[in-house]
Amino acid sequence: MNRLKIYRACLYAALLFSMLLMFFYVRWYLRTQIPDVVQVGMEDEQTLDLGLKEVSVRVVERKRVIPGGIPIGIYLETEGVYVVGTSEVEAEDGLSYEPAYQIVQTGDYILAINGRKIHDKDELIACVQANRCDIMILKLLRGSEVIQVRLNAVRTKEEDYKLGIWVKDDIQGIGTLTFITDDQRFGALGHGITDTDTGELLETSGGSLYDTNILEIIKGEKGTPGEISGMITYSDRHVRGTIQKNTSAGIFGFVDQKTRRELDGEPLEVAFKQEIRRGQAYIRSSVSGELKSYGIQIQEIRLNEDDVNKGMVFQVTDPELLELTGGVIQGMSGSPILQDGKLIGAVTHVFVNDPTRGYGIFAETMISVGE
């Protein structure tokens, strides 16, 4: 028994010695091997080897933007029509056929049929019927490649021709404007617009921002995300901007003078992600009908997260916002996150099982992607 005690004491002593040795080694390494100041030329980009990993050092101009927080109506035009899936078609002989099976794939965009350009679902249907033949040559965008495929349309008992393809075209919704620049560029949402069925980022040929009015707030609850219910006014008089890009970091384009005047605050610096700290921060939102800042706590900062939409984890602590929305709800995506007088990020997603918590994207990332 005494031997066992001695053996344990030796193990504990060895463990303590190893920890002390590691502590002093790390302290020595940080003091002697990592410089306190790294200087590079304005046009230079260098790689700093820190031993454990290499860090790229780049000199960039610090950006200044006007934070948003106002709701926007979004109308996104897809490139051609987006293929959701394929299905069987009952032909005039009573048998079922699937003409597009393994020829057209989910995620493809139909750009043209038999040389006729396609912009929306109605044009697709009209084009198929106008051809009045079973041979169809489809021009598709698949990934970054444009290809052509041939398939035989099915003639039905009603003497219509069908391809057996489920498609969707334009996308509408409500989001939040994140920032605008001095030259009226904007960034919004903080995440890309994806297809609800496939989760794929939608290719866009353009789009517009419109006036929107919040009609109802549905509070978020555990297991059930809340949402902003609103009315988007689709008319030329109510266009607030144009969408040029739909990316994984948000949508980007230009806003009009009216929107620029509505956000008449002073430009703020955009924080570099290494400047962000845990603790107090604020969400800027007009979800109540008035543009306000609501208190949150930054809980995690993920500097090297693969998913750009999950660079930060935060929790809503503001009693007014919790009473109004229950936390983060759909439609708040893109709401600016501010800390120490700088724009540090934007709201992207909510924790389904805890609506008081959400994810954020770094503002630095949005600015970089939007340029």
Side-chain angles (χ1 to χ4, degrees):
M1 193 66 178
N2 288 335
R3 280 186 173 181
L4 183 58
K5 287 183 178 181
I6 294 172
Y7 180 67
R8 284 179 177 174
C10 291
L11 283 178
Y12 289 140
L15 179 60
L16 180 60
F17 177 76
S18 298
M19 291 176 66
L20 287 172
L21 187 63
M22 179 63 71
F23 170 78
F24 285 111
Y25 172 77
V26 170
R27 188 177 179 185
W28 168 84
Y29 186 86
L30 291 175
R31 284 184 172 182
T32 62
Q33 303 300 308
I34 299 180
D36 294 327
V37 178
V38 177
Q39 296 184 355
V40 298
M42 287 296 294
E43 305 299 327
D44 293 344
E45 179 177 349
Q46 298 183 11
T47 300
L48 181 63
D49 187 355
L50 301 181
L52 299 177
K53 67 177 293 185
E54 290 186 347
V55 177
S56 179
V57 179
R58 183 185 308 156
V59 176
V60 297
E61 179 186 358
R62 188 182 288 276
K63 304 295 185 180
R64 296 176 69 89
V65 298
I66 298 173
I70 60 174
I72 49 172
I74 299 168
Y75 183 86
L76 189 70
E77 301 169 5
T78 58
E79 185 76 25
V81 292
Y82 181 76
V83 176
V84 178
T86 62
S87 65
E88 293 184 346
V89 178
E90 185 176 344
E92 58 183 349
D93 61 7
L95 299 177
S96 293
Y97 301 90
E98 191 170 354
Y101 179 67
Q102 291 188 336
I103 299 175
V104 177
Q105 300 179 5
T106 298
D108 287 346
Y109 291 84
I110 302 175
L111 305 179
I113 294 181
N114 289 354
R116 179 176 169 182
K117 198 169 183 179
I118 301 298
H119 298 94
D120 54 41
K121 290 186 292 187
D122 292 337
E123 282 190 4
L124 173 65
I125 294 170
C127 184
V128 172
Q129 300 312 313
N131 279 303
R132 306 303 296 172
C133 64
D134 60 349
I135 298 176
M136 302 283 174
I137 305 297
L138 275 62
K139 183 180 180 181
L140 305 176
L141 176 63
R142 179 172 296 166
S144 60
E145 184 181 6
V146 176
I147 62 174
Q148 288 191 335
V149 299
R150 173 183 174 136
L151 55 82
N152 295 321
V154 174
R155 182 181 168 118
T156 68
K157 293 179 180 179
E158 295 78 19
E159 298 186 353
D160 290 332
Y161 287 91
K162 294 187 177 181
L163 302 177
I165 300 174
W166 291 98
V167 298
K168 63 172 60 175
D169 42 28
D170 301 336
I171 306 295
Q172 303 90 31
I174 294 176
T176 300
L177 190 72
T178 306
F179 64 83
I180 60 175
T181 63
D182 284 337
D183 58 355
Q184 295 181 211
R185 293 180 180 271
F186 81 85
L189 288 187
H191 61 73
I193 297 176
T194 59
D195 177 64
T196 54
D197 298 301
T198 66
E200 295 292 325
L201 189 71
L202 292 172
E203 295 285 341
T204 178
S205 59
S208 300
L209 303 182
Y210 288 91
D211 281 322
T212 185
N213 295 313
I214 298 175
L215 302 178
E216 183 184 9
I217 301 294
I218 301 174
K219 292 180 67 172
E221 298 178 355
K222 184 177 180 179
T224 306
E227 65 175 330
I228 295 173
S229 176
M231 181 180 69
I232 304 172
T233 307
Y234 294 112
S235 71
D236 292 342
R237 290 195 309 110
H238 294 277
V239 173
R240 303 294 294 272
T242 57
I243 300 170
Q244 293 186 321
K245 294 197 297 184
N246 176 38
T247 76
S248 59
I251 58 173
F252 302 91
F254 288 89
V255 294
D256 62 1
Q257 284 286 353
K258 180 181 177 182
T259 306
R260 175 66 180 85
R261 289 193 299 268
E262 186 174 344
L263 295 173
D264 59 356
E266 291 296 319
L268 300 181
E269 289 186 350
V270 176
F272 297 124
K273 57 186 178 182
Q274 69 270 17
E275 297 176 325
I276 303 169
R277 58 179 177 79
R278 294 182 182 180
Q280 185 72 39
Y282 298 90
I283 289 178
R284 183 174 164 95
S285 173
S286 55
V287 68
S288 67
E290 180 183 355
L291 192 56
K292 294 182 178 180
S293 294
Y294 299 98
I296 63 172
Q297 286 286 318
I298 304 294
Q299 296 181 325
E300 293 182 42
I301 302 167
R302 304 173 174 180
L303 296 179
N304 296 303
E305 174 64 47
D306 291 334
D307 187 342
V308 297
N309 306 131
K310 297 181 178 180
M312 291 179 280
V313 176
F314 65 87
Q315 184 165 32
V316 176
T317 56
D318 194 285
E320 183 179 350
L321 187 59
L322 290 172
E323 176 64 26
L324 180 64
T325 64
V328 180
I329 59 176
Q330 295 177 13
M332 288 179 65
S333 293
S335 298
I337 303 175
L338 311 176
Q339 187 180 67
D340 299 330
K342 297 178 181 179
L343 177 67
I344 66 170
V347 175
T348 54
H349 302 292
V350 61
F351 282 56
V352 176
N353 292 323
D354 185 358
T356 69
R357 301 178 72 206
Y359 291 106
I361 184 174
F362 296 124
E364 176 186 355
T365 302
M366 286 189 70
I367 295 291
S368 176
V369 173
E371 289 182 336

